[in-house]
Amino acid sequence: MLTQQQLKQQSADAALAFIEPLLGPDVVIGVGTGSTADLFIDGLARLRGRLRGAVASSERSAARLAGHGLDVLDLNDVQAMPVYIDGADEIDARLHMIKGGGGALTREKIVASVADRYICIADESKLVERLGAFPLPIEVIPMAREAVARAVVALGGQPRLRDGFVTDNGNIILDVAGLHIDDAPGLEARLNNLPGVVTCGLFAQSGAHVALLATQQGIRELHRP
Ligand code: 5RP
């Protein structure tokens, strides 16, 4: 029986195998944040010299990449990336996701938006029939905290301030439990439209393209329907 850590490693290794044929001296890839992304970054160190560098979705991942001697580029200096590799807190069969457990959701969404394909790496426990058991993170500009919280309550959610946490962008996170997510792209648009919301952790308007989910029987590869 593989542990969750071993499953995460399996998924990170599958992503390294997936990207290897795409690499070249001018190629820049996008790299996410979290414990699974950390394992991917550690493996990417072995491919140093086979790519130009990476754009990171957080200060944490940037430091880890740099610690391995990998070049970290500013997204403003990068026009295209073949892939963005990152984990998820929940993913469904349509490859819609909830992200932001690590609080890096806004930069994750930005970096992913520039890449041709989002490759989601996770263990199979992240695969759900319906999104929403994991409280939905929303990054909010501090002065809008109560206004956004009231709007979220009106939508049926129970917001909770992530205590003592400040995002890389200087904002707060509201973790919202109890939402019924029948229409993930619609809810994403609605939440993102609230004044003071930087972005919500639904990645559904543009979800993952491929999911490499580690199971006890090996990698299960899902593609966007
Ligand atoms: C960070 C994220 C992560 O992708 C998500 O929390 C999954 O993390 P892990 O790989 O540690 O389970 O969205 O903001």
Side-chain angles (χ1 to χ4, degrees):
M1 179 95 172
L2 295 171
T3 63
Q4 198 183 28
Q5 185 67 12
Q6 288 169 323
L7 290 171
K8 285 180 182 187
Q9 185 66 59
Q10 203 179 89
S11 179
D13 290 345
L16 289 161
F18 188 97
I19 65 156
E20 224 180 314
L22 306 173
L23 297 181
D26 299 324
V27 171
V28 177
I29 65 166
V31 174
T33 301
S35 56
T36 319
D38 280 349
L39 295 171
F40 173 79
I41 292 170
D42 295 346
L44 192 63
R46 292 195 298 275
L47 301 176
R48 198 178 41 225
R50 305 252 320 262
L51 72 166
R52 167 78 188 81
V55 176
S57 69
S58 63
E59 301 296 340
R60 163 185 162 169
S61 291
R64 199 170 183 103
L65 286 159
H68 285 304
L70 289 151
D71 270 358
V72 180
L73 289 95
D74 186 320
L75 183 62
N76 291 309
D77 298 326
V78 174
Q79 281 165 23
M81 292 180 283
V83 283
Y84 174 74
I85 313 288
D86 199 358
D89 297 302
E90 284 184 349
I91 183 163
D92 69 12
R94 303 166 80 174
L95 305 198
H96 295 159
M97 295 171 284
I98 286 184
K99 288 186 49 55
L105 59 163
T106 299
R107 293 191 187 193
E108 288 171 346
K109 211 175 264 191
I110 294 169
V111 180
S113 76
V114 177
D116 295 338
R117 280 186 293 176
Y118 184 129
I119 315 300
C120 176
I121 50 175
D123 65 87
E124 204 185 23
S125 70
K126 303 290 183 74
L127 184 63
V128 296
E129 227 160 80
R130 180 198 180 107
L131 298 174
F134 189 92
L136 178 67
I138 304 181
E139 180 165 354
V140 176
I141 290 172
M143 72 170 289
R145 184 189 66 216
E146 290 306 311
V148 171
R150 284 193 295 274
V152 161
V153 169
L155 289 172
Q158 295 129 34
R160 190 192 179 116
L161 177 67
R162 197 177 294 185
D163 226 3
F165 186 85
V166 178
T167 70
D168 285 348
N169 314 306
N171 298 312
I172 58 162
I173 298 277
L174 293 177
D175 291 302
V176 183
L179 288 170
H180 289 280
I181 307 180
D182 293 321
D183 170 17
L187 182 62
E188 180 181 3
R190 204 159 164 188
L191 290 170
N192 287 349
N193 211 25
L194 294 172
V197 168
V198 181
T199 200
C200 75
L202 278 169
F203 284 53
Q205 296 185 96
S206 182
H209 295 80
V210 178
L212 300 172
L213 303 178
T215 75
Q216 295 295 335
Q217 291 75 41
I219 290 292
R220 182 169 169 201
E221 187 168 326
L222 302 183
H223 290 256
R224 185 189 284 191

Short mmCIF file of all heavy atoms in Angstrom, two decimals, residues 116-163:
data_model
loop_
_atom_site.label_atom_id
_atom_site.label_comp_id
_atom_site.label_asym_id
_atom_site.label_seq_id
_atom_site.Cartn_x
_atom_site.Cartn_y
_atom_site.Cartn_z
N ASP A 116 -0.01 26.97 -22.38
CA ASP A 116 -0.90 26.29 -23.34
C ASP A 116 -1.76 25.24 -22.63
O ASP A 116 -2.93 25.06 -22.96
CB ASP A 116 -0.08 25.57 -24.42
CG ASP A 116 0.69 26.56 -25.28
OD1 ASP A 116 0.29 27.74 -25.33
OD2 ASP A 116 1.71 26.15 -25.89
N ARG A 117 -1.15 24.52 -21.67
CA ARG A 117 -1.88 23.43 -21.02
C ARG A 117 -1.59 23.40 -19.52
O ARG A 117 -0.44 23.57 -19.11
CB ARG A 117 -1.46 22.07 -21.61
CG ARG A 117 -2.15 21.77 -22.91
CD ARG A 117 -1.83 20.38 -23.39
NE ARG A 117 -0.43 20.23 -23.76
CZ ARG A 117 0.13 19.08 -24.14
NH1 ARG A 117 -0.60 17.98 -24.18
NH2 ARG A 117 1.39 19.03 -24.48
N TYR A 118 -2.64 23.18 -18.74
CA TYR A 118 -2.51 22.99 -17.29
C TYR A 118 -2.47 21.49 -17.03
O TYR A 118 -3.41 20.78 -17.37
CB TYR A 118 -3.71 23.64 -16.58
CG TYR A 118 -3.67 23.59 -15.06
CD1 TYR A 118 -3.87 24.74 -14.32
CD2 TYR A 118 -3.45 22.41 -14.37
CE1 TYR A 118 -3.84 24.73 -12.93
CE2 TYR A 118 -3.41 22.38 -12.98
CZ TYR A 118 -3.61 23.53 -12.27
OH TYR A 118 -3.58 23.50 -10.90
N ILE A 119 -1.38 21.03 -16.44
CA ILE A 119 -1.25 19.62 -16.09
C ILE A 119 -1.42 19.52 -14.57
O ILE A 119 -0.58 20.04 -13.81
CB ILE A 119 0.14 19.04 -16.48
CG1 ILE A 119 0.55 19.47 -17.90
CG2 ILE A 119 0.17 17.53 -16.32
CD1 ILE A 119 -0.37 19.04 -19.00
N CYS A 120 -2.50 18.89 -14.14
CA CYS A 120 -2.78 18.79 -12.70
C CYS A 120 -2.14 17.51 -12.15
O CYS A 120 -2.34 16.42 -12.69
CB CYS A 120 -4.29 18.76 -12.47
SG CYS A 120 -4.71 18.54 -10.73
N ILE A 121 -1.38 17.68 -11.07
CA ILE A 121 -0.75 16.52 -10.43
C ILE A 121 -1.31 16.37 -9.02
O ILE A 121 -1.35 17.32 -8.25
CB ILE A 121 0.79 16.63 -10.41
CG1 ILE A 121 1.28 17.99 -9.86
CG2 ILE A 121 1.35 16.39 -11.79
CD1 ILE A 121 2.79 18.09 -9.70
N ALA A 122 -1.78 15.16 -8.72
CA ALA A 122 -2.41 14.93 -7.42
C ALA A 122 -2.56 13.44 -7.19
O ALA A 122 -2.44 12.64 -8.12
CB ALA A 122 -3.80 15.58 -7.40
N ASP A 123 -2.83 13.09 -5.94
CA ASP A 123 -3.19 11.71 -5.70
C ASP A 123 -4.71 11.59 -5.87
O ASP A 123 -5.42 12.59 -5.83
CB ASP A 123 -2.73 11.24 -4.31
CG ASP A 123 -3.45 11.99 -3.22
OD1 ASP A 123 -4.55 11.55 -2.83
OD2 ASP A 123 -2.93 13.02 -2.76
N GLU A 124 -5.17 10.35 -6.07
CA GLU A 124 -6.56 10.14 -6.47
C GLU A 124 -7.58 10.63 -5.45
O GLU A 124 -8.75 10.86 -5.79
CB GLU A 124 -6.78 8.65 -6.76
CG GLU A 124 -7.92 8.40 -7.71
CD GLU A 124 -8.18 6.91 -7.86
OE1 GLU A 124 -7.81 6.12 -6.98
OE2 GLU A 124 -8.76 6.53 -8.89
N SER A 125 -7.13 10.85 -4.21
CA SER A 125 -8.07 11.33 -3.18
C SER A 125 -8.62 12.71 -3.51
O SER A 125 -9.64 13.13 -2.98
CB SER A 125 -7.39 11.36 -1.80
OG SER A 125 -6.43 12.40 -1.77
N LYS A 126 -7.95 13.42 -4.42
CA LYS A 126 -8.41 14.77 -4.78
C LYS A 126 -9.56 14.74 -5.80
O LYS A 126 -10.20 15.76 -6.06
CB LYS A 126 -7.25 15.60 -5.36
CG LYS A 126 -6.03 15.73 -4.45
CD LYS A 126 -6.31 16.60 -3.26
CE LYS A 126 -5.10 16.81 -2.35
NZ LYS A 126 -4.09 17.69 -2.87
N LEU A 127 -9.78 13.55 -6.39
CA LEU A 127 -10.84 13.43 -7.40
C LEU A 127 -12.19 13.31 -6.70
O LEU A 127 -12.39 12.41 -5.89
CB LEU A 127 -10.58 12.20 -8.28
CG LEU A 127 -11.54 11.96 -9.43
CD1 LEU A 127 -11.49 13.09 -10.46
CD2 LEU A 127 -11.23 10.63 -10.12
N VAL A 128 -13.11 14.22 -7.02
CA VAL A 128 -14.43 14.22 -6.37
C VAL A 128 -15.53 14.23 -7.43
O VAL A 128 -15.31 14.64 -8.56
CB VAL A 128 -14.60 15.47 -5.46
CG1 VAL A 128 -13.60 15.45 -4.32
CG2 VAL A 128 -14.48 16.77 -6.26
N GLU A 129 -16.70 13.77 -7.01
CA GLU A 129 -17.83 13.79 -7.93
C GLU A 129 -18.37 15.20 -8.07
O GLU A 129 -18.77 15.64 -9.15
CB GLU A 129 -18.91 12.87 -7.41
CG GLU A 129 -19.45 11.97 -8.50
CD GLU A 129 -20.14 10.78 -7.91
OE1 GLU A 129 -21.31 10.96 -7.50
OE2 GLU A 129 -19.51 9.71 -7.84
N ARG A 130 -18.37 15.93 -6.95
CA ARG A 130 -18.90 17.28 -6.95
C ARG A 130 -17.98 18.15 -6.10
O ARG A 130 -17.64 17.79 -4.97
CB ARG A 130 -20.29 17.22 -6.32
CG ARG A 130 -21.03 18.48 -6.20
CD ARG A 130 -22.14 18.25 -5.16
NE ARG A 130 -22.92 19.46 -4.98
CZ ARG A 130 -24.15 19.60 -5.43
NH1 ARG A 130 -24.75 18.61 -6.04
NH2 ARG A 130 -24.79 20.72 -5.23
N LEU A 131 -17.57 19.30 -6.64
CA LEU A 131 -16.67 20.20 -5.92
C LEU A 131 -17.39 20.83 -4.73
O LEU A 131 -18.59 21.09 -4.80
CB LEU A 131 -16.19 21.33 -6.85
CG LEU A 131 -15.37 20.94 -8.08
CD1 LEU A 131 -15.11 22.18 -8.95
CD2 LEU A 131 -14.04 20.30 -7.70
N GLY A 132 -16.65 21.11 -3.65
CA GLY A 132 -17.23 21.92 -2.59
C GLY A 132 -17.08 21.38 -1.19
O GLY A 132 -17.34 22.11 -0.23
N ALA A 133 -16.65 20.12 -1.02
CA ALA A 133 -16.40 19.64 0.34
C ALA A 133 -15.20 20.39 0.92
O ALA A 133 -15.16 20.71 2.10
CB ALA A 133 -16.15 18.14 0.34
N PHE A 134 -14.23 20.68 0.06
CA PHE A 134 -13.08 21.49 0.49
C PHE A 134 -13.52 22.96 0.49
O PHE A 134 -14.02 23.45 -0.53
CB PHE A 134 -11.91 21.28 -0.48
CG PHE A 134 -10.61 21.89 -0.01
CD1 PHE A 134 -9.71 21.14 0.73
CD2 PHE A 134 -10.31 23.22 -0.30
CE1 PHE A 134 -8.51 21.71 1.17
CE2 PHE A 134 -9.12 23.79 0.16
CZ PHE A 134 -8.22 23.03 0.89
N PRO A 135 -13.35 23.67 1.61
CA PRO A 135 -13.80 25.07 1.65
C PRO A 135 -13.10 25.90 0.56
O PRO A 135 -11.90 25.80 0.37
CB PRO A 135 -13.37 25.54 3.05
CG PRO A 135 -13.26 24.28 3.85
CD PRO A 135 -12.81 23.21 2.90
N LEU A 136 -13.91 26.67 -0.15
CA LEU A 136 -13.39 27.41 -1.31
C LEU A 136 -12.61 28.65 -0.86
O LEU A 136 -13.18 29.56 -0.26
CB LEU A 136 -14.56 27.84 -2.20
CG LEU A 136 -14.18 28.66 -3.43
CD1 LEU A 136 -13.39 27.80 -4.42
CD2 LEU A 136 -15.43 29.23 -4.10
N PRO A 137 -11.30 28.72 -1.17
CA PRO A 137 -10.53 29.92 -0.82
C PRO A 137 -10.87 31.08 -1.77
O PRO A 137 -11.03 30.89 -2.97
CB PRO A 137 -9.08 29.48 -1.02
CG PRO A 137 -9.11 27.98 -1.09
CD PRO A 137 -10.44 27.66 -1.70
N ILE A 138 -10.98 32.25 -1.18
CA ILE A 138 -11.18 33.47 -1.99
C ILE A 138 -10.16 34.50 -1.52
O ILE A 138 -10.08 34.80 -0.32
CB ILE A 138 -12.61 34.04 -1.83
CG1 ILE A 138 -13.66 32.99 -2.15
CG2 ILE A 138 -12.80 35.26 -2.72
CD1 ILE A 138 -15.11 33.50 -2.03
N GLU A 139 -9.37 35.04 -2.45
CA GLU A 139 -8.42 36.10 -2.07
C GLU A 139 -9.14 37.44 -2.15
O GLU A 139 -9.78 37.77 -3.15
CB GLU A 139 -7.19 36.11 -2.99
CG GLU A 139 -6.21 37.21 -2.59
CD GLU A 139 -4.82 37.10 -3.19
OE1 GLU A 139 -4.51 36.09 -3.85
OE2 GLU A 139 -4.03 38.06 -2.99
N VAL A 140 -9.06 38.20 -1.05
CA VAL A 140 -9.86 39.43 -0.92
C VAL A 140 -8.94 40.59 -0.49
O VAL A 140 -8.06 40.41 0.37
CB VAL A 140 -10.96 39.22 0.15
CG1 VAL A 140 -11.76 40.49 0.38
CG2 VAL A 140 -11.90 38.08 -0.27
N ILE A 141 -9.16 41.75 -1.04
CA ILE A 141 -8.46 42.96 -0.59
C ILE A 141 -8.97 43.28 0.82
O ILE A 141 -10.19 43.24 1.06
CB ILE A 141 -8.72 44.10 -1.60
CG1 ILE A 141 -7.96 43.77 -2.90
CG2 ILE A 141 -8.29 45.46 -1.03
CD1 ILE A 141 -8.22 44.66 -4.06
N PRO A 142 -8.03 43.51 1.77
CA PRO A 142 -8.43 43.56 3.20
C PRO A 142 -9.63 44.45 3.50
O PRO A 142 -10.50 44.06 4.28
CB PRO A 142 -7.15 44.05 3.89
CG PRO A 142 -6.04 43.53 3.03
CD PRO A 142 -6.56 43.62 1.61
N MET A 143 -9.73 45.63 2.89
CA MET A 143 -10.84 46.53 3.25
C MET A 143 -12.20 45.98 2.84
O MET A 143 -13.24 46.45 3.31
CB MET A 143 -10.64 47.94 2.65
CG MET A 143 -10.83 48.00 1.16
SD MET A 143 -10.87 49.67 0.49
CE MET A 143 -12.43 50.28 1.08
N ALA A 144 -12.22 44.99 1.95
CA ALA A 144 -13.49 44.43 1.47
C ALA A 144 -13.90 43.17 2.22
O ALA A 144 -14.89 42.52 1.86
CB ALA A 144 -13.37 44.13 -0.03
N ARG A 145 -13.15 42.83 3.28
CA ARG A 145 -13.37 41.55 3.98
C ARG A 145 -14.83 41.32 4.36
O ARG A 145 -15.43 40.31 4.00
CB ARG A 145 -12.50 41.52 5.24
CG ARG A 145 -12.57 40.21 6.01
CD ARG A 145 -11.87 40.35 7.34
NE ARG A 145 -12.59 41.30 8.19
CZ ARG A 145 -12.01 42.15 9.04
NH1 ARG A 145 -10.71 42.19 9.15
NH2 ARG A 145 -12.74 42.97 9.76
N GLU A 146 -15.43 42.29 5.07
CA GLU A 146 -16.79 42.09 5.58
C GLU A 146 -17.82 42.16 4.45
O GLU A 146 -18.81 41.43 4.46
CB GLU A 146 -17.11 43.10 6.69
CG GLU A 146 -16.32 42.83 7.97
CD GLU A 146 -16.50 41.40 8.49
OE1 GLU A 146 -17.64 40.93 8.59
OE2 GLU A 146 -15.47 40.75 8.78
N ALA A 147 -17.59 43.06 3.50
CA ALA A 147 -18.54 43.18 2.37
C ALA A 147 -18.57 41.88 1.57
O ALA A 147 -19.65 41.39 1.20
CB ALA A 147 -18.13 44.36 1.48
N VAL A 148 -17.40 41.32 1.31
CA VAL A 148 -17.34 40.07 0.55
C VAL A 148 -17.94 38.94 1.39
O VAL A 148 -18.70 38.10 0.88
CB VAL A 148 -15.89 39.75 0.10
CG1 VAL A 148 -15.81 38.34 -0.48
CG2 VAL A 148 -15.42 40.78 -0.92
N ALA A 149 -17.63 38.93 2.69
CA ALA A 149 -18.18 37.87 3.56
C ALA A 149 -19.71 37.90 3.53
O ALA A 149 -20.35 36.85 3.44
CB ALA A 149 -17.65 38.05 4.99
N ARG A 150 -20.30 39.10 3.58
CA ARG A 150 -21.78 39.19 3.54
C ARG A 150 -22.33 38.68 2.20
O ARG A 150 -23.33 37.96 2.16
CB ARG A 150 -22.23 40.64 3.77
CG ARG A 150 -22.14 41.10 5.22
CD ARG A 150 -22.89 42.41 5.43
NE ARG A 150 -22.31 43.53 4.70
CZ ARG A 150 -21.31 44.30 5.15
NH1 ARG A 150 -20.75 44.06 6.33
NH2 ARG A 150 -20.84 45.30 4.42
N ALA A 151 -21.65 39.02 1.14
CA ALA A 151 -22.11 38.58 -0.19
C ALA A 151 -22.03 37.06 -0.31
O ALA A 151 -22.90 36.42 -0.92
CB ALA A 151 -21.27 39.25 -1.28
N VAL A 152 -21.00 36.50 0.29
CA VAL A 152 -20.82 35.04 0.23
C VAL A 152 -21.89 34.33 1.06
O VAL A 152 -22.41 33.29 0.66
CB VAL A 152 -19.38 34.71 0.71
CG1 VAL A 152 -19.25 33.27 1.12
CG2 VAL A 152 -18.36 35.05 -0.38
N VAL A 153 -22.24 34.92 2.20
CA VAL A 153 -23.31 34.36 3.03
C VAL A 153 -24.62 34.37 2.24
O VAL A 153 -25.40 33.40 2.24
CB VAL A 153 -23.44 35.12 4.37
CG1 VAL A 153 -24.72 34.73 5.10
CG2 VAL A 153 -22.22 34.85 5.26
N ALA A 154 -24.85 35.46 1.51
CA ALA A 154 -26.08 35.56 0.69
C ALA A 154 -26.11 34.47 -0.39
O ALA A 154 -27.18 34.08 -0.85
CB ALA A 154 -26.17 36.95 0.06
N LEU A 155 -24.94 33.98 -0.77
CA LEU A 155 -24.88 32.89 -1.77
C LEU A 155 -24.95 31.51 -1.11
O LEU A 155 -24.82 30.49 -1.78
CB LEU A 155 -23.57 33.00 -2.57
CG LEU A 155 -23.47 34.16 -3.55
CD1 LEU A 155 -22.04 34.25 -4.12
CD2 LEU A 155 -24.47 33.99 -4.70
N GLY A 156 -25.10 31.49 0.23
CA GLY A 156 -25.25 30.21 0.93
C GLY A 156 -23.97 29.68 1.55
O GLY A 156 -23.95 28.58 2.08
N GLY A 157 -22.90 30.46 1.48
CA GLY A 157 -21.62 29.99 2.02
C GLY A 157 -21.38 30.44 3.45
O GLY A 157 -22.04 31.35 3.95
N GLN A 158 -20.45 29.78 4.09
CA GLN A 158 -20.01 30.17 5.44
C GLN A 158 -18.53 30.55 5.38
O GLN A 158 -17.67 29.67 5.36
CB GLN A 158 -20.20 29.02 6.42
CG GLN A 158 -21.65 28.62 6.63
CD GLN A 158 -21.87 27.14 6.46
OE1 GLN A 158 -21.00 26.34 6.79
NE2 GLN A 158 -23.01 26.75 5.91
N PRO A 159 -18.26 31.87 5.30
CA PRO A 159 -16.86 32.29 5.16
C PRO A 159 -16.13 32.29 6.49
O PRO A 159 -16.72 32.57 7.54
CB PRO A 159 -17.00 33.73 4.64
CG PRO A 159 -18.32 34.19 5.15
CD PRO A 159 -19.20 32.98 5.26
N ARG A 160 -14.85 31.98 6.42
CA ARG A 160 -14.00 32.01 7.62
C ARG A 160 -12.67 32.63 7.21
O ARG A 160 -12.05 32.19 6.22
CB ARG A 160 -13.81 30.56 8.07
CG ARG A 160 -13.16 30.45 9.40
CD ARG A 160 -12.73 29.01 9.66
NE ARG A 160 -12.09 28.98 10.96
CZ ARG A 160 -12.54 28.31 11.98
NH1 ARG A 160 -13.62 27.56 11.87
NH2 ARG A 160 -11.90 28.34 13.13
N LEU A 161 -12.26 33.63 7.97
CA LEU A 161 -10.98 34.29 7.69
C LEU A 161 -9.84 33.32 7.99
O LEU A 161 -9.81 32.71 9.05
CB LEU A 161 -10.85 35.55 8.55
CG LEU A 161 -9.53 36.31 8.42
CD1 LEU A 161 -9.39 36.94 7.02
CD2 LEU A 161 -9.42 37.38 9.49
N ARG A 162 -8.90 33.16 7.01
CA ARG A 162 -7.72 32.33 7.28
C ARG A 162 -6.81 33.13 8.21
O ARG A 162 -6.22 34.14 7.80
CB ARG A 162 -7.00 31.95 5.98
CG ARG A 162 -6.05 30.79 6.17
CD ARG A 162 -5.39 30.36 4.88
NE ARG A 162 -6.31 29.79 3.91
CZ ARG A 162 -5.92 29.26 2.76
NH1 ARG A 162 -4.63 29.22 2.45
NH2 ARG A 162 -6.80 28.77 1.90
N ASP A 163 -6.74 32.65 9.42
CA ASP A 163 -6.11 33.40 10.52
C ASP A 163 -4.62 33.63 10.31
O ASP A 163 -3.89 32.68 10.04
CB ASP A 163 -6.33 32.61 11.81
CG ASP A 163 -6.79 33.51 12.92
OD1 ASP A 163 -6.99 34.71 12.65
OD2 ASP A 163 -6.92 33.02 14.05
#
